């Protein structure tokens, strides 16, 4: 479960099939998707500014304990909201891409994870570049209340060719907790973000912001 993830989103990735390779090794096929929207709550109608739709079909491989590789296809299409178009008299331009990418994660101990990887767009619409890089680090404490409450700190750094490799940095501090049956979990956190916005329609805009958030996980979340 990635700690540094989008907070203005309704999306998930679910495992479809898992095959055991023996010795604690496994291979899993997944499918996911969702929508990431941005609203302007200072307007009378709480205007929808933009929404990005995503779909993904990644494959996870655990070749050895503490090592995980995720690779696969991802699609993103970005659309301006009708309220934004009306207010700004914006020209409607479709922005989208299909990419192949991979991410390698290494956990030297149960409380620490390091990861890095990249992606390359095999198809793009009104995008100026194809490549992207990502790296990050996460720490999650041993836990309290029978290990069902665990503090965490995570940071994520992304670079995109489409914005001349200008970085986008996210840091998140919070607590993750779940019920005794491990049927659901949640993360309450404070986040700081600075860099080029991740919405394709607003990708050339720089933003720095603080966020208070809550992420919910259902369906037997990973402990």
């Amino acid at each position: 479960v990635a700690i540094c993830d989008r907070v203005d989103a309704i999306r998930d990735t679910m495992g479809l099939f898992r095959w055991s390779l023996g010795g604690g090794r496994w291979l899993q096929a997944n499918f996911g998707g969702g929508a990431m929207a941005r609203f302007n709550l200072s307007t009378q109608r709480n205007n929808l500014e933009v929404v990005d739709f995503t779909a993904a079909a990644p494959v996870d491989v655990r070749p050895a304990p503490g090592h995980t590789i995720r690779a696969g296809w991802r699609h993103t299409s970005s659309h301006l909201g009708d309220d934004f178009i009306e207010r700004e008299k914006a020209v409607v331009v479709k922005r989208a891409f299909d990419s192949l990418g991979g991410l390698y994660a290494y956990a030297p101990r149960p409380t620490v994870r390091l990861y890095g990887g990249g992606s390359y767009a095999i198809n793009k619409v009104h995008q100026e570049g194809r490549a992207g890089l990502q790296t990050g680090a996460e720490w999650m404490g041993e836990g309290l209340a029978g290990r069902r409450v665990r503090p965490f700190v995570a940071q994520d750094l992304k670079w995109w060719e489409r914005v001349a490799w200008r970085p986008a940095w996210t840091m998140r501090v919070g607590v993750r907790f779940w019920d005794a049956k491990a049927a659901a979990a949640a993360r309450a956190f404070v986040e700081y973000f600075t860099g080029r916005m991740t919405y394709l329609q607003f990708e050339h805009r720089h933003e720095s912001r603080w966020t208070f958030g809550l992420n919910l996980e259902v369906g037997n979340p990973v402990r």
Side-chain angles (χ1 to χ4, degrees):
V1 176
I3 294 178
C4 277
D5 206 346
R6 295 290 293 275
V7 298
D8 47 356
I10 300 176
R11 73 178 186 185
D12 198 5
T13 300
M14 65 181 67
L16 300 179
F17 304 98
R18 175 178 287 192
W19 297 269
S20 175
L21 305 177
R25 301 173 298 153
W26 47 258
L27 171 69
Q28 178 170 302
N30 310 281
F31 183 79
M36 287 71 71
R38 182 181 180 90
F39 294 87
N40 186 346
L41 302 182
S42 64
T43 60
Q44 185 176 3
R45 296 192 301 179
N46 296 332
N47 290 353
L48 172 64
E49 303 276 289
V50 64
V51 57
D52 282 14
F53 296 100
T54 66
V59 174
D60 296 336
V61 182
R62 187 184 187 188
H67 300 263
T68 306
I69 300 170
R70 166 166 285 190
W73 165 84
R74 178 184 179 89
H75 169 80
T76 300
S77 61
S78 184
H79 307 269
L80 292 173
D82 292 339
D83 298 323
F84 180 86
I85 295 172
E86 179 181 353
R87 187 181 74 247
E88 301 293 332
K89 309 302 180 185
V91 177
V92 178
V93 177
K94 180 180 179 180
R95 296 183 183 276
F97 68 82
D98 294 277
S99 66
L100 298 177
L103 200 66
Y104 165 72
Y106 171 59
R109 60 183 65 183
T111 57
V112 176
R113 186 173 73 155
L114 311 173
Y115 61 87
S119 63
Y120 187 83
I122 55 176
N123 176 55
K124 62 187 182 74
V125 179
H126 293 115
Q127 296 293 293
E128 299 176 8
R130 294 181 180 270
L133 297 173
Q134 180 180 8
T135 187
E138 303 170 351
W139 171 86
M140 184 175 288
E142 292 289 351
L144 307 170
R147 296 176 60 86
R148 296 200 303 269
V149 179
R150 302 179 68 181
F152 67 82
V153 178
Q155 62 176 4
D156 180 84
L157 189 61
K158 296 183 177 71
W159 300 267
W160 299 104
E161 183 184 2
R162 62 177 181 258
V163 291
W165 299 107
R166 295 181 177 90
W169 179 65
T170 304
M171 185 167 187
R172 187 174 289 186
V173 179
V175 176
R176 186 172 187 265
F177 49 93
W178 53 85
D179 66 352
K181 296 182 180 180
R187 297 195 302 268
F189 59 86
V190 177
E191 177 186 281
Y192 177 72
F193 170 88
T194 185
R196 301 288 169 164
M197 295 176 65
T198 53
Y199 297 99
L200 297 185
Q201 294 286 351
F202 295 164
E203 63 188 9
H204 292 291
R205 297 187 181 188
H206 184 278
E207 180 177 74
S208 296
R209 68 171 185 265
W210 287 94
T211 301
F212 300 90
L214 179 68
N215 278 5
L216 302 178
E217 307 167 32
V218 295
N220 194 25
V222 177
R223 297 190 181 187

